[in-house]
Amino acid sequence: MNQGFEPVFNSGRLHPVVDDYAESLVWSRAGELIRMASFRPALHAYCRAMMQPPEMAWPADKFFGQKLRYLVSYALIGQDARWRRNEGELPTLSSLQRAAHASARQVSNLVASLKLGGYVVAVRSSHDRRVVRLQPTMALFLEIARSPLAFLEASELIDPPRRPLATQLRAEDATLGDWLGYSYDLFVQQDLYFSPFVNIVRLTEQDCGYPVLTAVLSAHYGRGVDKAEPVRLSYGALAERFRLSRQHIGNIFIEAEKRGCFAVDAGGRAVTVMPDFLWEFETWAAGQIALYRLIAEQVSQDQCRRAIDALHRSAATS
């Protein structure tokens, strides 16, 4: 069967933007992943998953597919996870405004939208009725975890675990929240997994910029692959898929070409991804795959330890 994946042009090396972190556990593991023959097919599957439009009528792709709105939501999940572990303050509008990299007005407006969309529930504290906890719902967990879960599923294609980690996370809101919360703590401590990738960061700053990128890369990785469904990259097709204007799609494409990332022809029939940008993306993706797999394994171990502790406590009192 023709897999259609080109030889790795970078000889299996990580992009130099992470040279300063190459000895860390995550980037060491990422360096192993990027050399594996199954790495690019797994990335193709990741991109196919990420370019799928949401099933609900709410414009989730457009809303969460933008850096500021995503990170504020991510911060709320991180606060909620720490509070549930008795390690942080109650997640409220005020605490979120202090933590988020956005203005107080932006955070307030965003929280109002999240409530309206059913992603956040306001719960009054039983200790002080004047205090309102912002409680993320499973819907928010799943939206913020969309890319992390797809990366975790890619890791399972490369290295199948003894039991499906992504399936377990999708089924349990508290566990999914803990998984995301741990990753947010790492992001706050030192951002080694996002900020070095300036072109990826720039695309995430545009409404739906990153989902559009995954559609472009899905077309790139799918060239020559048997039974790969063609990806329509015309302005009209992408505008319809992501519920954006044709002009906005055009603006994303024009800027990406100017930055030396990728180029799509006028009819969306052919795409050219620049080698250095592809190297940047594949390094970023290898880091994400390694990061979320390591955290998922840790969360799973923590669950086992808690279950064993509970059994021990039960045996001691019986």
Side-chain angles (χ1 to χ4, degrees), residues 1 10 34 42 59 62 73 78 93 128 130 141 160-161 166 185 190 193-194 204 216 229 237 281-282 298 317:
M1 179 180 291
N10 55 44
I34 206 168
K62 186 176 188 298
S73 302
L93 179 59
D128 185 345
R130 295 169 298 178
F141 290 148
D185 289 345
Q190 189 178 10
Y193 313 111
F194 183 60
T204 65
V216 169
E229 181 183 346
F281 175 79
E282 292 186 350
Q298 183 61 52
T317 57

Side-chain angles (χ1 to χ4, degrees), residues 44-263:
H44 185 207
Y46 166 82
C47 290
R48 292 293 302 181
M50 287 300 297
M51 65 174 280
Q52 299 307 314
E55 295 179 2
M56 61 183 64
W58 210 75
D61 250 338
K62 186 176 188 298
F63 188 84
F64 294 107
Q66 192 273 340
K67 178 184 173 184
L68 185 146
R69 294 191 288 267
Y70 183 92
L71 288 180
V72 172
S73 302
Y74 198 13
L76 174 58
I77 289 172
Q79 284 193 333
D80 178 72
R82 285 194 299 274
W83 176 75
R84 287 188 290 104
R85 297 196 306 264
N86 297 314
E87 296 176 4
E89 63 182 320
L90 188 76
T92 65
L93 179 59
S94 296
S95 67
L96 185 59
Q97 288 170 327
R98 290 193 298 272
H101 297 287
S103 71
R105 180 186 293 273
Q106 285 174 316
V107 174
S108 180
N109 290 340
L110 174 58
V111 168
S113 297
L114 291 172
K115 290 178 183 176
L116 186 63
Y119 294 99
V120 170
V121 176
V123 181
R124 292 204 174 272
S125 170
S126 58
H127 302 291
D128 185 345
R129 301 295 293 173
R130 295 169 298 178
V131 177
V132 177
R133 173 194 171 196
L134 298 179
Q135 179 178 338
T137 66
M138 186 60 162
L140 184 64
F141 290 148
L142 288 172
E143 284 298 339
I144 299 307
R146 188 177 179 197
S147 179
L149 281 170
F151 275 128
L152 182 58
E153 288 167 340
S155 87
E156 295 182 324
L157 292 176
I158 297 169
D159 179 21
R162 284 180 292 181
R163 58 176 180 168
L165 296 167
T167 300
Q168 176 188 354
L169 289 171
R170 288 183 188 277
E172 302 171 4
D173 55 354
T175 307
L176 182 56
D178 288 340
W179 181 61
L180 291 171
Y182 284 128
S183 68
Y184 182 75
D185 289 345
L186 290 174
F187 173 78
V188 170
Q189 290 167 15
Q190 189 178 10
D191 181 9
L192 310 181
Y193 313 111
F194 183 60
S195 61
F197 303 93
V198 293
N199 289 304
I200 306 297
V201 170
R202 176 53 193 151
L203 281 157
T204 65
E205 291 171 344
Q206 302 167 281
D207 283 350
C208 251
Y210 188 74
V212 169
L213 168 64
T214 61
V216 169
L217 290 176
S218 184
H220 169 78
Y221 286 124
R223 286 186 306 199
V225 175
D226 290 345
K227 299 180 181 179
E229 181 183 346
V231 180
R232 298 169 59 208
L233 295 178
S234 67
Y235 288 8
L238 291 176
E240 180 180 355
R241 175 180 290 272
F242 297 118
R243 286 179 269 191
L244 299 166
S245 70
R246 294 166 59 96
Q247 181 179 356
H248 184 69
I249 297 294
N251 291 340
I252 292 173
F253 281 3
I254 289 168
E255 181 173 340
E257 186 168 0
K258 286 181 178 178
R259 292 179 66 90
C261 299
F262 58 81

